[in-house]
Amino acid sequence: MGPVPVEPQPVAVVGIGADGWAGLGEPARERVLAADVVIGAPRQLDLLPQIEGQQRRRWPSPLHAGLSALFEELAGLRTVALASGDPLLSGIGTTLIRLFGTDRVTVVPAVSSETLARARLGWPAESAAVVSVVGRDVHAVLRELAPNRRLLVLSSDETTPGQLAALLTERGYGASRMTVLGDLGGATESRLDSTAATFTGPAPRLNIVALELAGPLVAGWAAGVPDDAYHHDGQLTKRDLRAAALARLAPAPGQLLWDVGAGAGSVGIEWMRSHSTCRAVAVEVNDARAQRISDNARNLGVPALRVVSGAAPQALADLPAPDAVFIGGGLSRTGVLAACLAALTPGGRVVAHGVTLETEAVLLAAYREHGGELTRIQVEHAAPLGSFTGWTPSRAVTQWALTLP
């Protein structure tokens, strides 16, 4: 007979503040005292008293790749995982529940840094948005830029405030009031007030940044961001056509879009700008354009957009199933439309644009076979005509849109 499998033990995720052991309630202390092993960042582990016979382990690096192996090793042991404040606010609790489910993971929260920050500032919860850049690109803050808006930014480390200050100043938001709150709830709690333009630091490693934004409105969240917000080589779904496509793609929280033949990436970018949980994959065969898509995504506040360099349909094979697909290029390539339709989840939407007779024929055939909506769109813009003003027509675009049952 082989070895008897070890029954996995429940995992308790305990939130701990900058005040350490002294700030833990009795239920949290009991969990820690009873644990065979405690996992946490070095800073968090140093806040605990020594407990005889108890293992102390650091989180693996890289985190996500090493979690499964770590917990397999600890399967038979009573385990506590330490998190900063509320483990479900951009914390390890979310990751562990995703990995093991709620049956195995119990969360014992502490007061979050967000709650403490609002208390120090006197900001009602509904008056400020929260953006996490913990382990993420600070460009995510750019999606939130709007005059007179309040933001609480969860920082990665002591370098985050300086990065934010430089980014805001570069984007015309240098006059924004910036408050860096450090070690909230601890003996070394600190506060540093400045503007983004005048911030010089230093900042403590554990900090949260409060912003009262002052600057121009660059782009809203509705479809149809101005064309000049994108760097492109002419391969751009223009503003009015983009708005028409996104109206039919119908972005919804948490859903995934494939932007096939993405060009400058504008449709995928605006899909993600519509809600903070929207996801997108941009597929582009041209390497220079693929890099430009990544740059555009960062500049418009959605650096998490995934870019795949390759030709459809081959490049689509290993992608997660989409809730919506936009086909802006490559429609005449054999198998592209069929692959997109086959991959869609139930209730999924597809929108395809064609500007040539060949792609128009593909869309007409799709309309005859599947139904949907076939529309021809032509936009004209006013422009000088001698000493007068006349209409300058753009190239007509045929749009096919379909929603699956």
Side-chain angles (χ1 to χ4, degrees):
M1 292 180 59
V4 178
V6 177
E7 184 69 24
Q9 293 291 311
V11 177
V13 187
V14 172
I16 188 168
D19 51 358
W21 184 254
L24 290 182
E26 202 56 38
R29 287 190 177 194
E30 288 174 1
R31 296 273 188 176
V32 174
L33 291 170
D36 297 312
V37 58
V38 178
I39 312 168
R43 174 186 59 79
Q44 295 165 335
L45 294 173
D46 288 344
L47 296 173
L48 302 181
Q50 290 301 313
I51 300 171
E52 186 177 353
Q54 187 179 80
Q55 293 185 50
R56 300 285 167 86
R57 301 287 293 270
R58 297 182 179 187
W59 292 112
S61 181
L63 177 66
H64 291 83
L67 277 179
S68 294
L70 174 62
F71 279 93
E72 281 179 18
E73 179 187 343
L74 305 175
L77 302 176
R78 292 167 296 181
T79 301
V80 163
L82 297 180
S84 292
D86 182 351
L88 296 178
L89 180 64
S90 295
I92 190 66
T94 304
T95 302
L96 294 179
I97 286 174
R98 190 180 299 123
L99 193 63
F100 301 122
T102 54
D103 291 341
R104 186 176 170 192
V105 178
T106 301
V107 176
V108 184
V111 177
S112 71
S113 58
E114 173 198 341
T115 299
L116 289 171
R118 287 192 286 100
R120 302 297 187 266
L121 297 162
W123 288 5
E126 65 274 12
S127 73
V130 180
V131 181
S132 174
V133 295
V134 178
R136 302 171 188 169
D137 192 326
V138 295
H139 284 75
V141 170
L142 297 181
R143 176 184 175 272
E144 307 293 332
L145 293 188
N148 304 313
R149 183 166 167 75
R150 285 176 170 175
L151 293 183
L152 289 174
V153 182
L154 308 181
S155 295
S156 267
D157 54 35
E158 68 275 15
T159 68
T160 303
Q163 294 176 41
L164 285 171
L167 188 59
L168 290 170
T169 303
E170 175 191 316
R171 299 308 171 97
Y173 277 75
S176 301
R177 291 185 60 185
M178 184 169 170
T179 302
V180 180
L181 299 166
D183 299 315
L184 282 167
T188 58
E189 181 173 321
S190 63
R191 173 172 177 158
L192 178 60
D193 291 288
S194 68
T195 65
T198 60
F199 177 80
T200 57
R205 182 168 181 80
L206 187 63
N207 72 82
I208 184 169
V209 182
L211 298 171
E212 295 179 86
L213 296 173
L217 179 62
V218 177
W221 292 347
V225 170
D227 292 343
D228 60 11
Y230 295 95
H231 297 292
H232 62 91
D233 59 1
Q235 293 299 310
L236 172 73
T237 301
K238 299 297 193 295
R239 182 180 196 175
D240 299 293
L241 294 167
R242 196 185 321 134
L246 282 157
R248 292 161 175 81
L249 289 167
Q255 293 203 329
L256 173 67
L257 171 80
W258 287 359
D259 185 359
V260 180
S266 60
V267 172
I269 288 169
E270 293 187 31
W271 170 278
M272 289 184 68
R273 283 182 61 84
S274 69
H275 194 272
S276 59
T277 64
C278 282
R279 299 165 295 135
V281 179
V283 180
E284 174 53 53
V285 68
N286 182 289
D287 288 340
R289 288 177 188 153
Q291 180 57 55
R292 200 175 289 122
I293 292 169
S294 293
D295 294 341
N296 283 330
R298 294 178 80 237
N299 289 334
L300 286 164
V302 288
L305 181 142
R306 179 183 172 189
V307 181
V308 173
S309 294
Q314 294 81 3
L316 309 176
D318 297 322
L319 298 182
D323 301 288
V325 176
F326 176 70
I327 309 173
L331 193 59
S332 59
R333 208 174 283 128
T334 302
V336 170
L337 182 57
C340 291
L341 289 172
L344 277 171
T345 58
R349 291 83 67 198
V350 62
V351 174
H353 284 182
V355 295
T356 66
L357 292 174
E358 288 77 9
T359 53
E360 193 172 81
V362 173
L363 296 179
L364 177 59
Y367 174 67
R368 286 174 171 166
E369 181 178 354
H370 301 286
E373 179 187 10
L374 192 65
T375 309
R376 200 153 188 256
I377 305 170
Q378 184 167 10
V379 179
E380 299 185 8
H381 294 278
L385 185 63
S387 58
F388 298 94
T389 303
W391 293 108
T392 300
S394 60
R395 191 183 297 274
V397 173
T398 301
Q399 179 188 81
W400 178 60
L402 175 71
T403 299
L404 297 183

